[in-house]
Amino acid sequence: MSVLRMVTIGVYGFGGESFLQRLRQADVRRLLDVRQRRGVRGPEYAWANAGRLQAALAHAGIAYEHHRELAPTTELRHLQYAEDDRQGVGKRSRRELAAEYTRRYTTEILDHADLTPIVSELPGRGTAALLCVERDPEACHRSLIAQRLTEQHHVTIEHLRPL
Protein backbone atom coordinates (compact mmCIF):
# COMPACT_ATOMS: atom_id res chain seq x y z
CA MET A 1 0.00 0.00 0.00
CA SER A 2 1.41 3.38 -0.96
CA VAL A 3 1.73 6.16 1.58
CA LEU A 4 -0.78 8.96 1.11
CA ARG A 5 1.07 12.25 1.40
CA MET A 6 0.14 15.92 1.34
CA VAL A 7 1.77 19.20 2.18
CA THR A 8 0.42 22.51 3.41
CA ILE A 9 1.71 25.94 2.48
CA GLY A 10 0.87 29.57 3.22
CA VAL A 11 1.39 32.75 1.25
CA TYR A 12 3.05 34.99 3.84
CA GLY A 13 6.82 34.92 3.77
CA PHE A 14 7.04 33.86 0.13
CA GLY A 15 7.53 35.75 -3.09
CA GLY A 16 5.89 34.38 -6.22
CA GLU A 17 8.99 32.61 -7.48
CA SER A 18 10.09 31.27 -4.08
CA PHE A 19 6.56 29.92 -3.58
CA LEU A 20 6.66 28.03 -6.88
CA GLN A 21 10.18 26.82 -6.14
CA ARG A 22 9.03 25.43 -2.78
CA LEU A 23 6.13 23.63 -4.49
CA ARG A 24 8.51 22.16 -7.08
CA GLN A 25 10.89 20.99 -4.33
CA ALA A 26 7.98 19.14 -2.70
CA ASP A 27 6.89 17.69 -6.07
CA VAL A 28 3.43 19.28 -5.78
CA ARG A 29 1.19 18.36 -8.72
CA ARG A 30 -2.11 19.67 -7.37
CA LEU A 31 -2.85 22.73 -5.22
CA LEU A 32 -6.03 22.88 -3.15
CA ASP A 33 -6.88 26.47 -2.25
CA VAL A 34 -8.89 26.53 1.01
CA ARG A 35 -9.30 30.32 1.23
CA GLN A 36 -12.74 31.89 1.29
CA ARG A 37 -11.61 34.98 -0.57
CA ARG A 38 -8.75 34.31 -2.91
CA GLY A 39 -7.06 37.67 -2.67
CA VAL A 40 -4.22 38.88 -0.46
CA ARG A 41 -3.71 42.50 0.49
CA GLY A 42 -0.45 44.22 -0.26
CA PRO A 43 1.56 44.56 -3.45
CA GLU A 44 4.18 42.04 -2.25
CA TYR A 45 1.48 39.35 -2.36
CA ALA A 46 -0.29 40.31 -5.60
CA TRP A 47 1.11 37.07 -7.10
CA ALA A 48 -1.16 35.09 -4.72
CA ASN A 49 -4.41 36.60 -5.95
CA ALA A 50 -6.52 33.94 -7.64
CA GLY A 51 -6.05 34.81 -11.31
CA ARG A 52 -2.31 35.39 -11.11
CA LEU A 53 -1.76 32.34 -8.92
CA GLN A 54 -3.77 30.08 -11.21
CA ALA A 55 -1.84 31.32 -14.27
CA ALA A 56 1.53 30.77 -12.56
CA LEU A 57 0.51 27.29 -11.41
CA ALA A 58 -0.73 26.35 -14.89
CA HIS A 59 2.58 27.51 -16.35
CA ALA A 60 4.38 25.35 -13.76
CA GLY A 61 2.21 22.32 -14.60
CA ILE A 62 0.40 22.31 -11.23
CA ALA A 63 -3.36 21.74 -11.20
CA TYR A 64 -5.48 24.18 -9.16
CA GLU A 65 -8.73 23.61 -7.28
CA HIS A 66 -10.67 25.95 -5.02
CA HIS A 67 -12.29 24.21 -2.04
CA ARG A 68 -14.42 26.99 -0.61
CA GLU A 69 -16.38 24.44 1.43
CA LEU A 70 -13.27 24.11 3.64
CA ALA A 71 -12.82 27.86 4.10
CA PRO A 72 -13.83 29.53 7.35
CA THR A 73 -16.88 31.75 7.15
CA THR A 74 -16.57 35.52 7.48
CA GLU A 75 -18.05 35.22 10.97
CA LEU A 76 -15.38 32.71 12.01
CA ARG A 77 -12.61 34.85 10.57
CA HIS A 78 -13.89 37.82 12.57
CA LEU A 79 -13.93 35.67 15.71
CA GLN A 80 -10.22 34.96 15.15
CA TYR A 81 -9.48 38.63 14.40
CA ALA A 82 -11.12 39.61 17.71
CA GLU A 83 -8.84 37.19 19.55
CA ASP A 84 -5.84 38.53 17.62
CA ASP A 85 -6.81 42.06 18.73
CA ARG A 86 -7.24 40.91 22.34
CA GLN A 87 -3.74 39.41 22.25
CA GLY A 88 -2.28 42.40 20.40
CA VAL A 89 -1.08 40.40 17.38
CA GLY A 90 -1.63 41.06 13.71
CA LYS A 91 -2.96 38.28 11.51
CA ARG A 92 0.39 38.13 9.71
CA SER A 93 2.18 37.54 13.02
CA ARG A 94 -0.33 35.17 14.62
CA ARG A 95 1.26 32.01 16.02
CA GLU A 96 -1.79 29.96 16.95
CA LEU A 97 -5.53 29.73 16.47
CA ALA A 98 -7.98 30.79 19.15
CA ALA A 99 -9.55 27.86 20.99
CA GLU A 100 -13.10 29.04 20.20
CA TYR A 101 -12.22 29.49 16.52
CA THR A 102 -10.78 25.97 16.41
CA ARG A 103 -13.85 24.51 18.15
CA ARG A 104 -16.33 26.30 15.90
CA TYR A 105 -14.39 25.69 12.66
CA THR A 106 -14.28 22.00 13.52
CA THR A 107 -17.98 21.70 14.38
CA GLU A 108 -19.37 24.10 11.76
CA ILE A 109 -17.13 23.33 8.77
CA LEU A 110 -14.84 20.35 9.17
CA ASP A 111 -17.35 17.95 10.74
CA HIS A 112 -19.63 18.51 7.73
CA ALA A 113 -16.93 18.20 5.07
CA ASP A 114 -16.40 15.00 3.14
CA LEU A 115 -12.63 14.72 2.70
CA THR A 116 -12.84 11.34 0.97
CA PRO A 117 -12.94 12.82 -2.57
CA ILE A 118 -9.82 14.87 -1.83
CA VAL A 119 -8.00 11.77 -0.57
CA SER A 120 -9.19 9.62 -3.48
CA GLU A 121 -7.91 12.22 -5.97
CA LEU A 122 -4.43 12.55 -4.47
CA PRO A 123 -1.90 12.31 -7.29
CA GLY A 124 -0.38 8.88 -7.88
CA ARG A 125 2.94 10.60 -8.43
CA GLY A 126 3.96 13.74 -6.62
CA THR A 127 1.78 15.27 -3.96
CA ALA A 128 -1.02 17.75 -3.32
CA ALA A 129 -0.83 20.94 -1.26
CA LEU A 130 -3.38 22.69 0.94
CA LEU A 131 -3.02 26.48 0.51
CA CYS A 132 -4.08 29.37 2.71
CA VAL A 133 -2.35 32.63 3.60
CA GLU A 134 -0.80 32.30 7.05
CA ARG A 135 2.91 31.52 7.17
CA ASP A 136 2.65 29.12 10.10
CA PRO A 137 0.22 26.20 9.83
CA GLU A 138 -0.50 26.41 13.58
CA ALA A 139 -2.01 29.85 12.92
CA CYS A 140 -4.23 28.62 10.08
CA HIS A 141 -7.26 26.41 9.57
CA ARG A 142 -5.29 24.35 7.03
CA SER A 143 -3.60 22.68 10.02
CA LEU A 144 -7.04 21.54 11.24
CA ILE A 145 -7.81 20.07 7.81
CA ALA A 146 -4.39 18.39 7.77
CA GLN A 147 -4.96 16.94 11.25
CA ARG A 148 -8.33 15.53 10.16
CA LEU A 149 -6.76 14.01 7.03
CA THR A 150 -4.12 12.36 9.22
CA GLU A 151 -6.58 11.05 11.80
CA GLN A 152 -9.30 9.79 9.47
CA HIS A 153 -7.48 8.99 6.25
CA HIS A 154 -3.92 8.24 7.43
CA VAL A 155 -2.45 10.93 5.19
CA THR A 156 1.11 11.94 6.03
CA ILE A 157 1.39 15.72 6.21
CA GLU A 158 4.41 17.98 5.79
CA HIS A 159 4.08 21.69 6.44
CA LEU A 160 6.10 23.78 3.98
CA ARG A 161 7.47 27.07 5.25
CA PRO A 162 9.58 29.77 3.62
CA LEU A 163 13.27 28.84 3.66
Side-chain angles (χ1 to χ4, degrees):
M1 184 173 132
S2 64
V3 175
L4 297 175
R5 181 175 167 267
M6 285 186 82
V7 299
T8 78
I9 192 167
V11 168
Y12 296 149
F14 285 103
E17 187 50 44
S18 64
F19 179 83
L20 290 172
Q21 181 180 7
R22 196 73 176 100
L23 293 178
R24 284 190 290 270
Q25 288 170 346
D27 198 20
V28 170
R29 307 286 176 96
R30 193 164 138 236
L31 186 127
L32 310 175
D33 189 338
V34 294
R35 299 177 290 174
Q36 180 189 38
R37 295 188 305 190
R38 297 176 296 154
V40 184
R41 290 192 178 145
E44 71 271 32
Y45 295 113
W47 61 267
N49 293 331
R52 289 181 181 150
L53 177 61
Q54 288 175 58
L57 291 169
H59 186 264
I62 299 171
Y64 173 90
E65 295 175 17
H66 184 216
H67 285 272
R68 187 177 176 136
E69 75 278 8
L70 295 174
T73 62
T74 300
E75 179 187 354
L76 284 174
R77 287 194 345 269
H78 285 287
L79 175 75
Q80 181 63 56
Y81 299 157
E83 181 62 16
D84 293 344
D85 288 345
R86 191 185 73 70
Q87 291 187 13
V89 297
K91 71 178 184 175
R92 292 188 188 191
S93 57
R94 176 188 318 132
R95 293 286 176 236
E96 64 183 6
L97 293 170
E100 182 64 5
Y101 173 94
T102 297
R103 184 191 70 75
R104 287 191 52 196
Y105 176 81
T106 300
T107 60
E108 295 173 20
I109 309 282
L110 204 48
D111 286 350
H112 299 281
D114 181 6
L115 300 178
T116 302
I118 289 174
V119 173
S120 67
E121 294 175 17
L122 287 175
R125 294 178 48 216
T127 191
L130 292 172
L131 166 77
C132 199
V133 296
E134 286 80 5
R135 171 190 163 95
D136 297 313
E138 303 82 7
C140 181
H141 75 286
R142 73 180 186 271
S143 67
L144 303 175
I145 300 166
Q147 181 179 349
R148 179 66 55 96
L149 286 165
T150 298
E151 291 170 352
Q152 293 186 353
H153 298 278
H154 310 290
V155 175
T156 300
I157 302 288
E158 177 187 356
H159 299 290
L160 305 180
R161 300 173 197 261
L163 299 174

